Amino acid sequence: MIRNVLIASILSLGLTACDNSEVGDVSLGVFTTKDIKINVLVDPIVTGVTCHIASIEADLSLSDPSDSSIACRQTGEITPEMIAKIDNSDSGDVIFKKSKSIFFKTMKMRRIFDPTTQTLIYVSYSTKETSGSFKHSISTVPLWGTKAYQVPSEPAR
């Protein structure tokens, strides 16, 4: 059992080191094994949106902290065809997942479309409760000024 946990930990660390979406690595000090890792993600469907996700990684721990931060911006063209392909449900699409523990904790990112305000909403969150709450962060990308923007049929409330 302990051998399997150790092997899984080593494999997890190896896979994290091979992540080619990492664009930043900030050490939190000499006396800690925790770093802030910054990953970039281009939305796989709405390719004119780029998100940067910052999260804490603890190299010698079996579980990373759940805190994360997200910032998404329009970095290219957003078309009506892209918006037509996305999930329009209230829960949206999971567009990014990253394991944060060998004990089933995952950081996920969802894209949700708000048709009333013509805004893409990106939410990053942890799938495990820590310290009495689920950690999450939100960023929005308005469609205003893009080819995808459509005048809403009813005013925003």
Side-chain angles (χ1 to χ4, degrees):
M1 172 72 175
I2 292 177
R3 181 174 173 246
N4 291 343
V5 169
L6 185 58
I7 290 170
S9 299
I10 291 169
L11 287 174
S12 174
L13 287 173
L15 290 174
T16 300
C18 296
D19 186 0
N20 65 356
S21 70
E22 187 178 304
V23 294
D25 184 351
V26 179
S27 172
L28 292 177
V30 177
F31 300 107
T32 181
T33 61
K34 296 178 183 174
D35 294 330
I36 298 172
K37 302 287 185 176
I38 303 168
N39 294 86
V40 64
L41 172 74
V42 174
D43 187 313
I45 295 176
V46 186
T47 56
V49 174
T50 302
C51 297
H52 290 89
I53 308 157
S55 62
I56 304 291
E57 289 189 11
D59 289 336
L60 300 177
S61 176
L62 297 178
S63 179
D64 290 333
S66 299
D67 295 326
S68 69
S69 174
I70 183 173
C72 300
R73 300 291 182 266
Q74 179 185 354
T75 55
E77 187 174 41
I78 300 175
T79 66
E81 295 79 20
M82 292 175 187
I83 302 304
K85 290 180 186 176
I86 66 174
D87 180 343
N88 285 318
S89 69
D90 288 346
S91 59
D93 279 325
V94 173
I95 62 169
F96 176 79
K97 282 195 260 187
K98 184 175 186 178
S99 175
K100 298 297 277 176
S101 166
I102 62 169
F103 302 111
F104 310 110
K105 180 169 50 172
T106 305
M107 181 178 70
K108 293 183 179 181
M109 187 168 88
R110 285 186 178 269
R111 176 202 333 99
I112 299 168
F113 179 58
D114 177 359
T116 304
T117 62
Q118 295 287 296
T119 302
L120 294 168
I121 304 164
Y122 293 86
V123 181
S124 69
Y125 60 97
S126 170
T127 59
K128 273 206 146 168
E129 182 179 342
T130 42
S131 304
S133 73
F134 288 90
K135 303 292 184 172
H136 62 280
S137 184
I138 188 170
S139 186
T140 60
V141 177
L143 297 183
W144 175 257
T146 71
K147 291 179 181 179
Y149 181 79
Q150 298 175 0
V151 177
S153 55
E154 50 181 86
R157 296 178 208 163

